[in-house]
Amino acid sequence: METISENRCFGGVQGVYTHGSEACGCPMTFGLFLPEEAQDGPVPVLWYLSGLTCTHENAMVKAGAQGWAAEQGIALVFPDTSPRGEGVADDESYDLGMGAGFYVNATESPWAPHYRMWDYVAEELPTLLGEAFALDMERQAITGHSMGGHGALTLAMGLPGRFRSVSGFAPIAHPTASDWGRKQLRAYLGEDEGKWRRHDATLMMREHGFDGPMLIDTGTDDQFIDLLQPEALAQAVAERRQQAVMRLQPGYDHSYFFVSSFMEDHVAFHAEALYAR
């Protein structure tokens, strides 16, 4: 692992690191904020998964999360959204290929050799973080924005017992029924829609649910709300009687102005679960 940068931030350190990824078959870069408490021992972890077109950097510099995480003594992990580099398959459109990994393990050509973002986020990067930094990997929570909200929800429900809480900012909530989903799931996983189900938060909610608290925020003026389908997830939550708070925020769009406006709420929400006995 190589250190790209480390900057003093709210009493802690905001770092950027790169390493060779066995899962993705290429170098991968991630951001990690360690609060001041990490100098004295392991701290709980909040994962932030970013959306389409993003890298590790977008949320790291735009979401305003570090100050709230420092206040709660929580580490923040900012993974990249896809493999990158020479020899990694890509597409001309913004919503497929680099920057659009959708947090799945691709099985189809030309994506299969590198696009294994589920394994990267679920297995490889947590192992690396636990070995290299003062992190309490027994206390993890996860959040994300848009495509990253989709990833946060499906990882939380697909890895029972891993995360104490889950939240999402304008998550893609029902990708098997949306143009933000069907295109990518078909490209990465093939025509068998049965293989798509574990990557759809609405279907996962109906079939599995989440053993813990959930918080979802979506703006009423989100320009992509018809693609996100928050109402489908809300119906599944109600049918399952899942512990959840789902909010429509009046006047907010899909941007990081929206994300940063409610970041304090989300960090505090996760802190309550991470510090619960």
Side-chain angles (χ1 to χ4, degrees), residues 67-92:
W68 305 120
E71 193 171 284
Q72 301 287 353
I74 293 173
L76 297 169
V77 183
F78 304 100
D80 203 346
T81 56
S82 75
R84 300 178 192 273
E86 186 176 351
V88 175
D90 198 11
D91 190 88
E92 292 182 356

Side-chain angles (χ1 to χ4, degrees), residues 144-196:
H145 173 229
S146 193
M147 179 186 73
H150 140 79
L153 290 166
T154 55
L155 281 156
M157 288 186 276
L159 299 170
R162 172 73 62 88
F163 301 103
R164 294 194 179 186
S165 52
V166 60
S167 73
F169 298 89
I172 301 174
H174 195 14
T176 62
S178 169
D179 288 342
W180 267 4
R182 293 189 62 82
K183 170 184 176 180
Q184 294 83 1
L185 294 173
R186 178 175 287 109
Y188 294 140
L189 302 178
E191 296 291 340
D192 181 0
E193 295 190 17
K195 297 179 180 178
W196 303 1

Side-chain angles (χ1 to χ4, degrees), residues 68-253:
W68 305 120
E71 193 171 284
Q72 301 287 353
I74 293 173
L76 297 169
V77 183
F78 304 100
D80 203 346
T81 56
S82 75
R84 300 178 192 273
E86 186 176 351
V88 175
D90 198 11
D91 190 88
E92 292 182 356
S93 60
Y94 76 96
D95 59 354
L96 189 67
M98 291 188 199
F102 258 76
Y103 304 99
V104 304
N105 286 339
T107 58
E108 303 301 301
S109 178
W111 315 105
H114 298 285
Y115 283 76
R116 303 190 62 82
M117 290 302 296
W118 179 281
D119 280 355
Y120 179 68
V121 173
E123 303 298 337
E124 185 176 28
L125 188 53
T127 298
L128 174 64
L129 292 170
E131 293 173 350
F133 299 97
L135 300 175
D136 183 353
M137 303 307 286
E138 296 299 315
R139 292 187 292 165
Q140 297 185 63
I142 192 166
T143 187
H145 173 229
S146 193
M147 179 186 73
H150 140 79
L153 290 166
T154 55
L155 281 156
M157 288 186 276
L159 299 170
R162 172 73 62 88
F163 301 103
R164 294 194 179 186
S165 52
V166 60
S167 73
F169 298 89
I172 301 174
H174 195 14
T176 62
S178 169
D179 288 342
W180 267 4
R182 293 189 62 82
K183 170 184 176 180
Q184 294 83 1
L185 294 173
R186 178 175 287 109
Y188 294 140
L189 302 178
E191 296 291 340
D192 181 0
E193 295 190 17
K195 297 179 180 178
W196 303 1
R197 297 185 66 83
R198 65 190 293 257
H199 299 291
D200 185 305
T202 296
L203 301 183
M204 288 290 286
M205 178 57 64
R206 291 174 184 165
E207 296 171 11
H208 302 285
F210 176 67
D211 185 19
M214 176 182 296
L215 172 63
I216 306 293
D217 277 315
T218 305
T220 61
D221 286 2
D222 191 308
Q223 58 270 47
F224 306 112
I225 197 167
D226 290 340
L227 296 168
L228 305 175
Q229 298 193 32
E231 66 280 0
L233 180 59
Q235 182 176 354
V237 163
E239 290 171 354
R240 191 169 187 87
R241 298 178 180 173
Q242 166 73 38
Q243 178 186 359
V245 175
M246 300 192 68
R247 308 186 299 194
L248 291 173
Q249 300 292 359
Y252 284 89
D253 60 15

